[in-house]
Every structure is written in structure tokens, then in C-alpha cells.
């Protein structure tokens, strides 16, 4: 089932509101095999709405519209859509009574005259009751196709989508003689490898994954690899996805740290818990972000002891026992100092594992030998120690976010693969 | 200047990714008088992209496109758009050299063959260099109008939008001889006051602000108050906004910590710098977020010395000198311990100012007397000390984010108003 979505609202076009409704509609419809082929956003103008909905109907014959159903005079979706169907608006006395009861129940006095317009319904439309608000959903169908109108307020839209639109669409699919097919996805999360290198590594197995498609999604934490099974019965989709994941895992090796929404910090904590190890952090350029990521995970106090934000060099010496001679010789941003910081924080916090980050996040502080983005990591896991340097592109926040992820990943690789 | 936006990505259509780029483009263009009249989203399919961009060009003659410029083979925007302009793709040797240097500098070995495609440029296009990634922006103009292609990765898109597209559009408006009216906004940022209290406080002056409208925007950091002047000449808008800000400031008093995108951490650092004071942090439930916020600001090393993440109670005693008896008597989450932590971190880091956060972020660990969300703050500024308790609603991440903001705000109020 192909459909289009039209979201209406000048505040969406102005960019003051991010269009979360559109994403929710796509997800809800995909779960029952509906596929949104195009999404259009227009402002609160009757001609623009009419044109956008008519175009969408022409292409897809099934259109979900959100927004522009409120009682204020800029809410004109209903008029524009009714006009496409040449359906006059008529007062729905049942719905008017429902509305009046609603106002009575809220005890805010009699219903304002402006709300009467919400009981106007295009002739032939099915009214979808909305217990969360005053604007009903409307399902209008004719020779040109079907348009479902939903209010733009997110929690009202969500209620109608889940309780009315999805069940009605499911019925429609079954009535049409289709076996409900769906679009399902799984995501492999990678880090420490570039998008282009990932593409090269995957090249050999990719043709064999069909009908599963791959999408590469770069984030500040690495590159996610989304596998999608399009429009097929659920069991078939699940089997195909499982086979594709099984084919990709050996190729991607230790670059994969999890699936779906898995957080790298949670993976590290799980590995620590499994091995009954405790962790402390020593942070310079990340300034607390590493601790912040770890303590974001509920129950992290099991294995996370704490750490030192040694932003000033004094603190590296005083709190982490780094020798001033080492800093003089190699510089505060060096593998030697990073390793000494990791060792020092383990000693101070009496932990088995320590990780340290020291780098140049910019915008100033770079030198020709150590440009902005140079970050050194030290990690100690029991008696093993390691230090690496990475050159991270981007601005200060990007460097810090990527350095935090890389610090976590340094520990993960030592815990999982050494 | 009317324009349309086309965002490309099957991820967007599937609803896995919320389209934040679209909102950013609208805002950036509105600030210079550009008005997005329609926004379209299509998947990574050449025909769909071609049709959507051609439709948009036909209506608006100026189109900004995001997404589908990466090196992987689902990135086909360039081909689809070049086809509309009948412009063949040609290898841009300068850009290829730039790309190769970039890979060399990152030290990840030679550039993969797949990245070569990113140096293919439609004949006649202007290449907009992208220091944040490998895909350049492309500005292609012909008899049918102009299309600007930007990568879909948000921080890359944002950089190109701000540094290349907006200045070029501004030039275009001036060249066209227009003095367009524009919609301008200013935002007052408040914290430590609820949205409803803010609404009550503002009630008396609000009618006098017309034609400026107010919007209350609650965030995890507080409530932003957005003032908007709609569609008027720039000078008139600026004057009206200035008058409205002047009317609101006295009403909102010390709850306002800044304007626009001002970060509370930057305000704190500025106050410290002005008074030549140094700062250290002691964090329990925020686990490093306070340090993370402060060190996000470039140049924070001027006054930020570092801190201790004393996640375990051991560390509060060992590293911050909190007396175990105090913890036994009042509990680790108490004003007494928070104050002792602030004093202790000042002593360890030899700073004038210290701030400490200790609380119960949940989901477990709450008690009837100290439910989840109970957070105690200690602050020391020279010889003054203060401790407060806040009960913060929400889940773990919300509690931690709000506690971080409240910790910063505790210091700000002592620095600015005591």
C-alpha cells in the first residue's frame, strides 16, 4: 500500500516546529506494510493546501493529511480538501452534541462559537472521534482516492493514528485481498571505521543480501548500517534480516558494537560487569563527557567508580600522579601522558580498568605537529596498557563527541577482543 | 525570495530520522527574508528525486536539496538533479585533490575508490567546499532556475548553510534590488522558573508588546521566551523587538540568563572571568555533565580547573575530604554533603569557586523521604557557601540534564546577584 503524507502548518515551514508527526505516521504505517512514497509540507494557505493534496492524490491515491483542523481561522484544511472532492461542508449534529458535552464536562463554560466550525464535515466523510481534543479526524473517499485528515497537535494525532487510522488501513489491506506485508529494519552499529571503508568492506557480500537493502547512516558515534526488508510478510522479513545480519557480522568484525539503539557506554558497562571489573576515567579535553555517557546508563554505579576531570595540567600531576617530566618531554597531549593518566586514575580509584583522554579540541591550541583534533587515548585493563592517537575532523563539539565515543571504544576493544 | 526545500532520504520517509535539516534551513532563510513555500521529502530513488526537484523548480525556481550526496551507491541526488539541467557529470580535479589530502591528513590510509564519485560535479555547478565532510555542496543554475544541493549529515549541512548558502542568497536578494520584509525573532532564556509562573509574571505587560507576539518554549534548560516580529521591514522589526525586550527584562529579573542561543555555562564562565575567579566541580549524579557543559565552551580553561566525578561514596571521602560521619548522618544526597563536596573540591583544586551536585537520578534508589529526582546542590564562591535542594520531575536523563543546568544556575546567581 503506497501513500503520501501532507503536513500543514506555517510554523512547520518557518522551522520553529520540527515535524515529528510525519515520522510517526511513516513508522506506524510501515509496521502494517504501508509505504510513504512522498511527504509534502505546506503553510496554512488554502490554495497551497489544495494543490499539495491534489498532487499527492494524483500520484498515490491515498493521502494522510495532518494539521489545520483547529477552530481558529487559519485552520482551513477541511475546506481545501472538501473542495477537491466537490463535497459541501455540512453540520454534523451528532458531533456538535459530542463537542458541547465535552465543553460542559471540562466545566469551562459554554462552547465558544468558534468551535462550532469543528462540527462541519464534508459530505460523505467518516468522522473519527478524537477524545484528546476538539477536532475530529475525517476520512473522505471518492473517485479520486482517499484522504484522511488528522489534527496537527502531536498527542491528538498519535491517538487517532493508533486507534483509528492504522486499524482502518489494516482492514483495507485485508479487504483488498492482500496478505498483510510489512517493512522491517535492523541496524548494526559500527564505530572506528569510516563510511567509505565500510562500503568497501561490505561490497563483496552486499549483492547476496537481496532483497534486503543497506543504508549507511553516519553519526557522531560512528556509522550505523540499516538493513531493510521491504513490503513482505513478517516471517519472511525476519528470516531475510537474520540471514543478512549473519552474513555481515563476520565482515564487519569487531567494528560492530551492537544493534538497534544500543549505546556504546552500555556495551562497555556490560563487558565490565561480566568480568567483574571496575572502571574510572581521567578526562582532559572531553571534560566530563566520558563520565556523563557512562552514568547515563541506569545501574552504572555497579562498575563505574568515578574519575578526575584533569582539565589543568596541575591536576594531571597532583590527582593522577603523572610525572611533570613526562609532560615536559612529550606534552600534555601525548600517548605517554594519556597512558600515565589511565594508570594514575586506576591507582587513585582502586579500579581494574582506567581510560584517559587528552587532546586538542580547538578552536585554538593546535600546532603544526599536533593540530586541532589530535586526541590521545590511554587505556588500562588489569595489567595490559595501551595508548593510541586519533586525528578527529570537525569543530570543538564534534571532536569532543567523537573522542568520547573513541575512548569508550578503546576500552570495549580491549575487553572484548584482547 | 520564495523557495522550496526538498529533503532526500529513505530514512526520513521511513520515519527513523526526524527531519531537523528542513527546520534549520527554513529558519536560516527566514532570517534573511527567504520564505519556504513548500517542503517535499522523497526516498533515495532517482526517479522520485528527479520528479520532486523538477516539480519544485517549476513552482519556485529556487530549490534547496539536502541528502543523497555521500559516497555510497544509494546517494544519487547529484545524478537526478544534473539530469534535470541536462548537465553531464565531470571529474573536478581540484576537489579530488582536496579529498585526497583530507584522507591523507586523517591518516586512515589512501582514499577508497568509492569516494572518487564525490569529486564528480555537474558541468557548470559551483562547488561549495565542505570542511566537515567529504561531500561538497553544489550550486547549479540554469534556465529552469537554481538548485542548491547540500549533504544530509546535519552538522555538515549546517556548516554549508551558514557559511555558504545564506551569504550567497543574501547577495542574490541585494542583486535583485529587493529590500524584503522579514520575520525576525529574539529569545530571552530563563531558568529556575516554571512556564506557568512565567506566563503569570508576563501577563501584565503582554498586551503592550503588540505587534510582537510571545511564545513560551520549555526546554530541559528552562523556558525560552520567543518574541517575534512578523513580516515587516528590518529596522521596524528591530525597534519593536528592542522595545519588547526592554519591557520584559525588569519583569523577568534574574531569571533571565541570556538571549538567543546563549549557553548558561558560557554566562557562568564570563562572570568568573570578569571577577578573575577559578572554578572546580564535584559531581555525583550528573557524572561529568557539569564539566562537560563548561568545557564545551572554547577558552574555558581560563577559569575552569577541573573536577572530581565522585560517583562512589569512597571518592567523596578520599578525593573531596567529606567526613564519613556527615554521610552517615545526613546521607550522600543531602545539603550538608553537597556543601562539603563544594568546599572539598575548592580545596583540592585550589579554586575560588566550587559547585557540587549529588542526587538520585533513578530509576531506582529513591526512598519516601528522598524520592527519585531529589537533587542537592552545594556552591562556594570565595567565603560564601550555599546549599539548596530541588525536586526534579522526569526520567533519568531529564533529571540529570536539569540538575546540570540548576548547578550552573546556582553559581550564576551567586556570582551575579549576591
Amino acid at each position: 500500500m503506497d501513500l503520501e503524507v501532507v503536513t500543514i502548518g506555517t510554523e512547520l515551514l518557518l522551522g520553529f516546529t520540527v515535524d515529528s508527526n510525519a515520522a510517526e505516521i511513516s513508522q506506524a504505517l510501515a509496521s502494517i506494510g504501508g509505504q510513504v512514497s512522498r511527504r509534502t509540507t505546506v503553510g496554512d494557505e488554502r490554495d497551497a493546501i489544495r494543490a499539495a493534496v491534489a498532487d499527492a492524490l494524483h500520484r498515490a491515491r491515498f493521502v494522510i493529511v495532518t494539521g489545520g483542523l483547529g477552530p481558529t481561522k487559519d485552520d482551513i484544511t477541511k475546506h481545501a480538501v472538501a473542495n477537491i472532492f466537490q463535497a459541501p461542508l455540512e453540520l454534523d449534529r451528532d458531533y456538535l452534541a459530542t463537542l458541547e458535552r465535552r465543553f460542559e464536562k471540562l466545566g469551562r463554560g459554554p462552547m465558544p462559537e468558534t468551535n462550532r466550525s469543528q462540527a462541519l464535515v464534508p459530505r460523505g466523510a467518516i468522522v473519527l472521534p478524537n477524545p484528546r481534543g476538539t477536532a475530529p479526524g475525517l476520512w473522505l473517499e471518492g473517485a479520486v482516492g482517499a484522504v484522511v485528515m488528522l489534527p496537527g497537535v502531536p498527542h491528538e494525532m498519535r491517538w487517532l493514528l493508533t486507534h483509528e487510522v492504522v486499524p482502518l488501513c489494516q482492514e483495507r489491506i485485508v479487504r483488498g485481498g492482500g496478505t498483510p506485508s510489512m517493512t522491517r529494519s535492523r541496524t548494526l552499529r559500527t564505530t572506528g571505521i569510516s563510511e567509505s571503508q565500510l562500503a568497501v568492506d561490505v561490497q563483496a557480500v552486499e549483492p547476496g543480501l537481496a532483497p534486503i537493502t543497506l543504508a549507511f547512516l553516519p553519526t557522531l558515534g560512528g556509522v550505523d548500517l540499516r538493513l531493510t526488508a521491504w513490503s513482505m510478510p513478517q516471517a519472511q522479513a525476519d528470516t531475510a534480516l537474520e540471514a543478512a545480519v549473519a552474513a555481515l557480522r563476520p565482515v564487519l568484525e569487531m567494528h560492530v558494537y551492537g544493534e538497534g539503539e544500543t549505546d556504546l557506554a552500555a556495551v562497555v558497562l556490560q563487558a565490565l560487569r561480566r568480568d567483574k571489573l571496575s572502571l574510572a576515567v581521567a578526562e582532559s579535553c572531553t571534560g566530563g563527557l566520558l563520565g556523563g555517557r557512562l552514568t547515563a546508563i541506569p545501574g552504572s554505579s555497579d562498575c563505574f567508580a568515578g574519575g578526575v576531570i584533569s582539565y589543568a595540567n596541575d591536576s594531571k600531576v597532583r590527582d593522577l600522579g603523572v610525572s611533570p617530566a613526562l609532560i615536559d618531554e612529550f606534552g600534555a597531549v601525548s600517548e605517554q601522558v594519556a597512558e600515565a593518566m589511565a594508570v594514575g586514575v586506576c591507582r587513585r580509584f582502586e579500579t581494574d580498568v582506567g581510560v584517559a583522554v587528552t587532546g586538542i579540541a580547538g578552536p585554538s591550541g593546535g600546532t603544526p605537529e599536533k593540530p586541532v583534533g589530535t586526541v590521545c587515548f590511554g587505556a588500562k585493563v588489569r595489567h595490559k596498557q595501551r595508548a593510541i592517537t586519533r586525528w578527529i575532523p570537525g569543530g570543538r563539539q564534534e571532536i569532543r563527541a567523537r573522542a568520547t565515543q573513541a575512548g569508550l571504544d578503546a576500552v570495549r576493544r580491549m575487553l572484548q577482543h584482547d
Side-chain angles (χ1 to χ4, degrees), chain A:
Chain A
M1 186 172 111
D2 239 38
L3 68 142
E4 292 203 13
V5 172
V6 178
T7 58
I8 291 160
T10 300
E11 80 284 1
L12 295 172
L13 274 190
L14 279 173
F16 288 134
T17 308
V18 169
D19 193 357
S20 60
N21 281 346
E24 285 197 36
I25 293 172
S26 292
Q27 287 201 6
L29 273 294
S31 73
I32 56 162
Q35 197 170 314
V36 176
S37 54
R38 192 193 277 216
R39 191 159 79 210
T40 308
T41 304
V42 290
D44 299 304
E45 289 169 49
R46 192 197 281 227
D47 292 346
I49 297 170
R50 195 194 183 287
V53 176
D55 288 354
L57 261 177
H58 182 70
R59 284 184 299 262
R61 294 186 55 82
F62 187 74
V63 181
I64 297 181
V65 178
T66 67
L69 293 179
T72 55
K73 65 174 188 289
D74 57 355
D75 291 331
I76 44 180
T77 299
K78 206 159 51 181
H79 297 268
V81 175
N83 181 274
I84 296 172
F85 286 82
Q86 313 243 303
L89 291 175
E90 294 170 342
L91 189 72
D92 185 317
R93 300 207 172 274
D94 287 350
Y95 195 73
L96 184 63
T98 306
L99 266 186
E100 283 168 342
R101 272 199 307 279
R102 185 185 161 85
F103 274 87
E104 216 169 281
K105 210 169 128 200
L106 290 178
R108 289 192 188 156
M111 187 180 84
E113 194 55 28
T114 47
N115 283 89
R116 240 182 113 84
S117 70
Q118 300 195 290
L120 288 174
V121 170
R123 185 184 290 167
I126 303 167
V127 175
L128 311 175
N130 169 13
R132 300 295 171 93
T134 52
L138 295 168
W139 183 304
L140 189 54
E141 199 151 2
V144 287
V147 175
V148 182
M149 291 171 262
L150 301 176
V153 183
H155 70 106
E156 299 182 23
M157 193 293 297
R158 191 176 306 134
W159 197 95
L160 281 163
L161 182 68
T162 318
H163 293 83
E164 297 286 342
V165 180
V166 166
L168 282 168
C169 286
Q170 235 162 349
E171 217 175 82
R172 201 182 169 81
I173 290 167
V174 172
R175 239 187 12 237
T179 20
S181 65
M182 44 186 64
T183 295
R184 288 174 85 85
S185 289
R186 279 171 74 172
T187 303
L188 293 175
R189 312 203 82 171
T190 75
T191 193
I193 178 171
S194 71
E195 180 185 0
S196 37
Q197 188 55 53
L198 208 57
V200 170
D201 288 0
V202 158
Q203 232 159 27
V205 295
E206 193 170 357
L209 303 179
I212 301 291
T213 62
L214 287 189
F216 297 82
L217 311 169
T219 73
L220 287 181
V223 181
D224 290 345
L225 201 56
R226 168 130 43 229
L227 295 76
T228 306
W230 300 90
S231 294
M232 51 181 88
Q234 179 170 347
Q236 193 185 329
D238 290 345
T239 309
L241 283 168
E242 185 59 41
V245 167
L248 283 168
R249 280 253 184 197
V251 175
L252 303 173
E253 295 179 322
M254 67 182 171
H255 300 304
V256 175
Y257 65 86
E259 272 206 40
E261 299 290 304
T262 301
D263 188 313
L264 181 56
V267 174
V268 168
L269 288 166
Q270 204 171 1
L272 291 167
R273 208 168 280 131
R274 183 198 60 196
D275 294 347
K276 299 196 170 37
L277 298 174
S278 56
L279 169 69
V281 297
E283 306 192 53
S284 187
C285 68
T286 51
L289 295 179
L290 201 51
R293 281 283 301 275
L294 288 159
T295 56
I297 312 297
S300 47
S301 57
D302 281 7
C303 12
F304 180 64
V308 174
I309 303 171
S310 53
Y311 211 55
N313 280 348
D314 286 3
S315 169
K316 296 184 181 72
V317 174
R318 179 188 61 227
D319 304 314
L320 299 172
V322 177
S323 124
L326 209 64
I327 298 177
D328 283 348
E329 190 176 349
F330 299 103
V333 177
S334 63
E335 296 186 1
Q336 289 81 355
V337 168
E339 199 167 320
M341 286 169 69
V343 171
V345 83
C346 282
R347 198 181 311 121
R348 169 166 287 279
F349 279 80
E350 297 170 4
T351 57
D352 314 295
V353 181
V355 57
V357 187
T358 176
I360 300 154
S364 61
T367 64
E369 303 80 50
K370 293 179 184 173
V372 168
T374 306
V375 184
C376 298
F377 302 87
K380 177 175 187 292
V381 174
R382 285 194 176 121
H383 302 295
K384 287 180 302 189
Q385 288 166 220
R386 188 167 300 169
I388 51 166
T389 304
R390 294 272 299 272
W391 289 271
I392 303 176
R396 184 176 177 88
Q397 302 328 331
E398 182 178 349
I399 291 169
R400 283 158 40 92
R402 289 191 190 276
T404 304
Q405 183 82 346
L408 292 169
D409 200 43
V411 183
R412 176 187 70 90
R413 288 178 190 241
M414 281 180 82
L415 289 170
Q416 288 187 340
H417 296 280
D418 277 7

